[in-house]
Amino acid sequence: GGLNLKLGDSMTTMKSDMSGAAAVLAAMTTLGEIGCRAEVHGLMGLVENMPGSAAYKPGDILESYSGKSVEVLNTDAEGRLVLCDLLAWAADRLKPTRMVDLATLTGACVVALGTMASGLFSRHDELAEALLESGRAAGEKIWRLPMYEEYLDLLQKGPADLRNIGGRWGGAITAALFLGEFVPRDLPWLHLDIAGPAFTETDLPEARAGATGAGVRTLVRWLESL
């Protein structure tokens, strides 16, 4: 969280912020064991999140891999700064036909859907329906949320091309829109915000307290179907 420090209770569960990368690793490991007809690349943005003399600050302007500049308004919205470069690099270097990301991106998604469901964002209906169907088959709760283009205005104020947050309201939507600015519009891309179900502090029927592996079963089901 840099200089925008979390409250103490939230700091103790910051370890779950790597759940998106862990889900990618788990899915790739599973595909290696069961096989998959499609060519699949799994990318993980592995970084440390610590304040220090070289840490970035609110008000800093960063240049992304894509060349777009980003004004930092909240250093705790750091995951999207890693992920936007990962998405832009993947689109540029790998030339995929479809791209899906998973991230514990926003508390706003947890407010909207609670701790049992992931939020799905995509401009591509066919890809969205395929992931939703895979989620249903895998027994994971996923709900599609909108990507209203009008909300982009909240990210396009100030001295940089984008801000890394769009304000208090609709935070899960503006976070998805932020990521979408680093993906070519004609590339089918889907974002899963797994902030709610990625980590549980109590035992569940399908998972013990701790990391749940949210998104892994859905990803594997979908990739098996390709």
Side-chain angles (χ1 to χ4, degrees), residues 77-158:
E78 83 288 358
R80 68 196 65 181
L81 298 176
V82 178
L83 193 50
C84 75
D85 273 359
L86 208 60
L87 291 170
W89 186 93
D92 178 42
R93 298 293 187 89
L94 300 178
K95 310 296 184 187
T97 57
R98 279 154 286 192
M99 191 156 60
V100 172
D101 77 74
L102 301 87
T104 54
L105 206 65
T106 66
C109 197
V110 188
V111 172
L113 299 177
T115 60
M116 301 296 291
S118 297
L120 182 152
F121 299 85
S122 182
R123 296 186 175 101
H124 303 273
D125 293 340
E126 184 177 345
L127 179 59
E129 186 52 44
L131 265 292
L132 287 169
E133 178 57 37
S134 295
R136 287 189 286 266
E140 294 195 286
K141 294 178 174 62
I142 302 173
W143 192 260
R144 188 175 184 182
L145 293 168
M147 293 182 68
Y148 296 133
E149 295 293 328
E150 294 89 341
Y151 288 9
L152 264 175
D153 291 343
L154 300 172
L155 299 168
Q156 294 174 331
K157 301 175 181 178

Side-chain angles (χ1 to χ4, degrees), residues 158-198:
D161 295 318
L162 294 165
R163 291 175 165 182
N164 77 324
I165 59 172
R168 183 177 182 184
W169 310 118
I173 297 174
T174 54
L177 288 168
F178 176 86
L179 294 179
E181 290 300 286
F182 298 88
V183 179
R185 287 295 180 108
D186 60 347
L187 171 60
W189 160 74
L190 182 146
H191 163 61
L192 277 178
D193 192 329
I194 60 172

Side-chain angles (χ1 to χ4, degrees), residues 1-7 10-11 14 49-51 55-60 72-78 164-165:
L3 297 177
N4 294 105
L5 296 175
K6 298 175 183 286
L7 297 174
S10 298
M11 293 288 286
M14 271 184 65
N49 182 13
M50 297 285 285
Y56 70 149
K57 308 172 295 300
D60 283 356
V72 176
L73 296 188
N74 189 316
T75 64
D76 194 34
E78 83 288 358
N164 77 324
I165 59 172

